[in-house]
């Protein structure tokens, strides 16, 4: 395979057909720090809190009913917010799945018809949504099964260690510690390796579903077949994309540093003024726009590269398994 030709053609498509950037942005929505602060209120300072509340016209909570009446509306609001975020998350995930299919279809249309539009690519991705959905489920099932098996084995090993403690305490503790460390390490390694393989099967399977018009089961089989037959080429593409990611990270880091250092120096030398908020907000907005556009372009480019690579690996008639 001519890797330079594939990557070069992918960039040509990405740069010329900028409507695909929108799909790249939408596809990235499904990809995606929280703290857990806690505090303790003892009986010694409860009276102080009650007195503070009384200053604001809130009387002391003498019964659980008072507390429940105050907390219930807050819990209802929290539950409502969680439901809204859940629905929003599901909607964004659905959009991202359709957009991934649209990116593949868009590149396919450019190569076969010489043109594409956002609408035509989106419609093609939407038509294959349930196929891509089923393909994602198939790709996730092996990880779930392997994870459950390893967790059961880990639990069995810890249970055996607990049983040994009745005979010799130090022996049982050692067995528990060794089993926990080894089991957790094995679990992480196994899930990491299996996850990479399944992710690549999904990548090829999605292209089989769009380009060859296969169902989700046949697309999964096709993805596995293409991966087996083109393992070396796949690894090379992984290395190339990893190198590209490192280069882009360095460029982004240097660019941010070049912009941030003068800004911090200016803030340090000048007295804080209200007007400084305006350029700060503008800089933040420009930075966010830059990140969004850059991520959309990168997502489009990588997806286009995999689609063109798939076409090079498998040139077949639609619906025909190799």
């Amino acid at each position: 395979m001519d890797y330079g030709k594939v990557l070069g053609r992918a960039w040509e498509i990405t740069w010329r057909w900028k409507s695909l950037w929108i799909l790249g942005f939408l596809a990235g929505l499904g990809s995606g720090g929280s703290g857990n602060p806690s505090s303790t209120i003892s009986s010694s300072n409860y009276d102080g809190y009650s007195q503070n509340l009384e200053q604001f016209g809130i009387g002391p909570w003498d019964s659980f009913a008072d507390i429940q009446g105050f907390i219930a509306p807050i819990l209802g609001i929290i539950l409502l917010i969680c439901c809204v975020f859940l629905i929003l998350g599901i909607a964004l995930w659905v959009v991202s799945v359709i957009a991934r299919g649209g990116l593949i279809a868009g590149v396919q249309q450019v190569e076969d018809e010489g043109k594409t539009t956002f609408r035509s690519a989106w419609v093609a991705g939407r038509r294959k949504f349930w196929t891509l959905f089923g393909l994602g489920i198939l790709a996730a099932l092996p990880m779930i099964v392997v994870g459950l098996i390893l967790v059961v084995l880990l639990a069995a090993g810890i249970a055996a260690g607990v049983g040994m403690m009745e005979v010799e305490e130090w022996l049982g503790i050692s067995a528990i510690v060794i089993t926990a460390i080894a089991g957790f390490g094995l679990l992480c390694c196994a899930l990491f390796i299996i996850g990479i393989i399944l992710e690549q099967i999904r990548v090829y399977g999605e292209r089989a579903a769009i380009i060859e018009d296969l169902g989700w089961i046949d697309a999964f089989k096709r993805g596995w077949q293409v991966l087996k037959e083109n393992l070396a080429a796949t690894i090379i593409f992984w290395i190339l994309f990893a190198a590209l990611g490192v280069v882009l990270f360095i460029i982004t880091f240097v660019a941010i540093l070049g912009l941030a250092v003068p800004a911090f120096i200016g803030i340090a030398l000048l007295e804080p003024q209200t007007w400084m908020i305006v350029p700060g907000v503008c800089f933040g907005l420009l930075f966010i726009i830059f990140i969004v556009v850059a991520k959309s372009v990168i997502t489009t480019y990588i997806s286009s590269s995999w689609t063109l690579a798939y076409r090079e690996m498998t040139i077949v008639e639609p619906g025909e398994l190799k």
Side-chain angles (χ1 to χ4, degrees):
M1 179 182 296
D2 190 342
Y3 301 98
K5 178 183 176 182
V6 171
L7 296 177
R9 178 56 179 164
W11 176 248
E12 289 178 8
I13 293 174
T14 300
W15 186 251
R16 180 176 179 182
W17 305 100
K18 295 180 178 59
S19 60
L20 297 178
W21 295 8
I22 304 175
L23 293 172
F25 168 73
L26 296 176
L29 295 178
S31 301
S34 60
N36 189 23
S38 61
S39 60
T40 303
I41 301 178
S42 61
S43 59
S44 60
N45 56 18
Y46 174 75
D47 294 337
Y49 286 115
S50 298
Q51 293 173 2
N52 291 334
L53 291 173
E54 290 177 4
Q55 294 177 1
F56 293 95
I58 301 177
W61 294 336
D62 296 327
S63 65
F64 176 75
D66 294 333
I67 300 176
Q68 188 178 29
F70 178 78
I71 293 179
I74 297 179
L75 292 178
I77 294 174
I78 294 175
L79 181 60
L80 177 61
I81 293 174
C82 291
C83 291
V84 170
F85 275 104
L86 177 62
I87 296 173
L88 180 62
I90 294 174
L92 292 177
W93 174 79
V94 170
V95 169
S96 71
V97 172
I98 297 175
R100 287 206 311 268
L103 277 175
I104 300 169
V107 175
Q108 178 73 2
Q109 291 167 1
V110 169
E111 293 297 280
D112 289 348
E113 305 170 13
K115 62 179 181 178
T116 187
T117 62
F118 172 82
R119 177 180 175 81
S120 62
W122 175 266
V123 169
R126 186 181 61 189
R127 185 174 62 86
K128 280 292 186 177
F129 168 76
W130 289 111
T131 301
L132 301 180
F133 172 77
L135 184 61
I137 297 297
L138 275 180
L141 281 178
M143 283 195 68
I144 296 174
V145 173
V146 172
L148 289 176
I149 293 175
L150 291 176
V151 167
V152 170
L153 293 176
L154 178 60
I158 294 177
V162 173
M164 292 180 186
M165 291 180 65
E166 298 181 359
V167 179
E168 193 69 39
E169 184 175 355
W170 69 269
L171 183 62
I173 295 176
S174 300
I176 293 174
V177 172
I178 294 174
T179 301
I181 295 175
F184 183 75
L186 179 62
L187 177 64
C188 291
C189 292
L191 292 181
F192 178 75
I193 296 173
I194 295 174
I196 291 178
I197 296 173
L198 292 173
E199 172 64 16
Q200 194 57 47
I201 293 175
R202 184 188 63 80
V203 168
Y204 286 148
E206 288 181 344
R207 280 144 186 84
I210 300 294
I211 297 174
E212 303 180 31
D213 195 23
L214 301 180
W216 53 288
I217 296 179
D218 288 336
F220 185 84
K221 294 178 181 178
R222 181 65 160 156
W224 170 239
Q225 179 187 12
V226 173
L227 177 60
K228 288 191 301 180
E229 295 177 353
N230 300 273
L231 183 60
T234 302
I235 294 175
I236 291 175
F237 272 110
W238 271 86
I239 295 174
L240 291 174
F241 288 138
L244 176 63
V246 172
V247 172
L248 291 174
F249 173 79
I250 294 175
I251 294 174
T252 304
F253 178 78
V254 172
I256 294 174
L257 196 63
L259 294 174
V261 170
F264 283 122
I265 292 176
I267 293 174
L269 296 178
L270 299 175
E271 293 185 9
Q273 300 291 336
T274 305
W275 63 268
M276 293 183 178
I277 298 176
V278 177
V281 171
C282 292
F283 174 79
L285 291 176
L286 289 175
F287 177 73
I288 293 174
I289 293 173
F290 169 77
I291 293 297
V292 169
V293 173
K295 184 178 180 181
S296 301
V297 173
I298 293 170
T299 302
T300 303
Y301 176 67
I302 293 177
S303 176
S304 301
S305 299
W306 281 121
T307 302
L308 294 175
Y310 184 90
R311 285 171 57 91
E312 290 288 324
M313 295 172 183
T314 60
I315 302 176
V316 298
E317 296 298 326
E320 177 187 349
L321 281 175
K322 187 175 180 180

